[in-house]
Each structure stands twice: as C-alpha cells, then as structure tokens.
Amino acid sequence: DHFANDQPDAVLAMGGFTAAAPIWVGRQIDAPTFLHESNVVPGRANRFLSRWVDEIFIGFDAARKRFGQKKITESGTPVRSEFHNQNRDECCVRLGFDPAKPLILVTGGSQGARGVNRMVTDALPRLTEDLPNAQWLHLCGPHDLAEVKKAYGITCLRSSVHDFINDMPSALGAADLVISRSGASSLAELAAAKVPAILVPLPTAADDHQRANAQAAAISGGVIVLEQTEITSDAFVGQVVGLISDT
C-alpha cells in the first residue's frame, strides 16, 4: 500500500527476509531493484533475492563469485562520516585517556563478546608485565561486565570497561590497536578509522562468514587474523606487544 501511494524511484535491499516483499513489489511496478551484501559469504536471504534484482553491491570483492553473472559493483560497506578523520588526541581526552600512552580497544560485537573477553582477561597478567603503560578500553557486553571489570581491577593497568559505548567513532579514533570480531560493519568502521586490528572470527557465525571476512580484510592489509580455538595465550600476547611496539 505504501508503494502504491508513494511509488519509489528504486528499491534497495540490505539483506534479511523482510527485504523480499519490497523487492517483489519493486519489480511489479518496474522500479530498479538493488541488493547490498556486506559479507564475503552472502546470507540465505541475499542469495535468494540476488536472482531478482537488477544490480548487486558488495562490500568485499571476494563476494563477487558467490553471485554468478549478475551485474555487480564493489561499493564497500557504508559507515557514518564520523568514523573518518578523527583526531586521536581529542578522542583520547574525550574518553578520559592519556594521549601520550597507547590505547588498546577490545570489542566483541553483539554476538561474540565472551570468547574475546576471556582471551584478553586470561592474558592480562602477561600484558601487564609486557605493556605496563598501555591503556585499555574494553567493551565486553552485558553478561561478562562484572567478571571483566574484576580482571582489570586486580592489575595496575589504566582501563575503562563497559558493556557497550555509544560513541564508537571516538573509541576507534582514540585506539592504536583494536581487538575485534570480524563482522562486516565492524570491518568497514575499522577501515574508515584506519586503525590496525587483531581479528578473532566468531567460530559459530553462520556459514563461517566471519572467517571469510577476516581473511579478505587481511589480504587488504592492516589486520592480522587469530583463531580463537587455536591461538595460545602466549602467542596472543606476542602479537599484541609486537603491534603496539610498531605503532
């Protein structure tokens, strides 16, 4: 009914089964139809919808082969303008950190905080010894908040632990290194902020798409990929120390 009363010039689907009806109606009224896929491995809804749209936009060139012979444009994944060109020192001050010392941001994302949280907290004794001047901003999700705060509380590290943060552009703008999952939106924000990262793909992600995203990002440079189920605490500490020492 909405399309009938206010006919669109085009229809863009960003994924999910809720996009099926607008694409179908768009075709019925002869509006150009488009699809955007952020991940290297398309979700089921986008795989289904891809046969009905006029053009597909992709976040990673590696996704091109997943869609056959359709018209495909590598557009990247759009992010808010605030993620670009942040002033690091201003971001540090805004978040209560010392701009003269390195800042490490830890974020597990909406689904995968627990594995990243434990990887970092298990390594804190070594990290305290090897990087005593490092500052930590750890976004741990709501379920592990008390446990993660306790882990930092018994160290001498300057840290700030939250379940989430509203000002993610400042968090990325302040960071010298990010430890993160590899969801497509997170990777687009990291790229926009131009901050190096250690990516730890969520092992249970659908179709293992986070691993594919991480591998594609690693080819472009600026990130390294660690497997949560394979990396040892000592090896993890070595990577963090090495990357911070290079900044």
Side-chain angles (χ1 to χ4, degrees):
D1 289 344
H2 181 74
F3 277 14
N5 295 328
D6 186 11
Q7 186 168 319
D9 296 315
V11 180
L12 170 64
M14 299 296 290
F17 285 102
T18 56
I23 290 295
W24 183 82
V25 175
R27 288 176 59 83
Q28 298 304 305
I29 62 175
D30 292 325
T33 53
F34 304 94
L35 178 70
H36 185 274
E37 175 56 61
S38 296
N39 294 294
V40 171
V41 180
R44 286 179 295 172
N46 276 1
R47 292 199 298 268
F48 171 76
L49 289 173
S50 65
R51 70 192 74 177
W52 308 112
V53 298
D54 296 308
E55 185 174 357
I56 300 169
F57 302 113
I58 53 176
F60 292 99
D61 187 67
R64 188 180 301 273
K65 61 186 178 183
R66 312 270 181 170
F67 286 116
Q69 301 303 311
K70 277 284 184 177
K71 184 179 180 182
I72 297 173
T73 300
E74 184 183 0
S75 64
T77 294
V79 299
R80 287 178 288 152
S81 60
E82 291 85 354
F83 284 100
H84 296 272
N85 302 318
Q86 287 279 5
N87 181 285
R88 179 188 176 276
D89 288 359
E90 292 177 2
C91 289
C92 283
V93 172
R94 192 177 302 134
L95 296 173
F97 292 100
D98 183 350
K101 297 179 179 180
L103 174 63
I104 301 169
L105 169 64
V106 182
T107 174
S110 59
Q111 300 180 61
R114 177 151 294 173
V116 172
N117 291 343
R118 289 180 176 170
M119 177 181 290
V120 173
T121 55
D122 287 350
L124 280 179
R126 278 278 313 279
L127 289 165
T128 303
E129 292 180 6
D130 295 350
L131 292 172
N133 291 324
Q135 306 171 105
W136 294 78
L137 174 57
H138 194 134
L139 311 179
C140 63
H143 300 296
D144 291 345
L145 184 60
E147 181 181 339
V148 174
K149 280 189 172 183
K150 181 179 178 181
Y152 282 96
I154 61 177
T155 74
C156 61
L157 295 169
R158 184 171 184 174
S159 62
S160 183
V161 179
H162 306 275
D163 52 355
F164 71 96
I165 191 171
N166 288 319
D167 190 1
M168 200 64 184
S170 289
L172 288 175
D176 296 288
L177 174 67
V178 178
I179 300 166
S180 173
R181 292 300 195 192
S182 49
S185 294
S186 295
L187 295 183
E189 291 167 358
L190 287 169
K194 298 181 181 179
V195 58
I198 294 174
L199 301 180
V200 187
L202 178 64
T204 56
D207 298 318
D208 207 19
H209 71 267
Q210 285 211 2
R211 180 173 287 104
N213 289 349
Q215 291 169 346
I219 292 171
S220 299
V223 306
I224 63 170
V225 183
L226 302 181
E227 295 293 342
Q228 177 182 314
T229 56
E230 299 173 8
I231 189 71
T232 66
S233 186
D234 284 349
F236 171 65
V237 170
Q239 292 284 5
V240 174
V241 171
L243 289 170
I244 285 295
S245 298
D246 287 342
T247 58

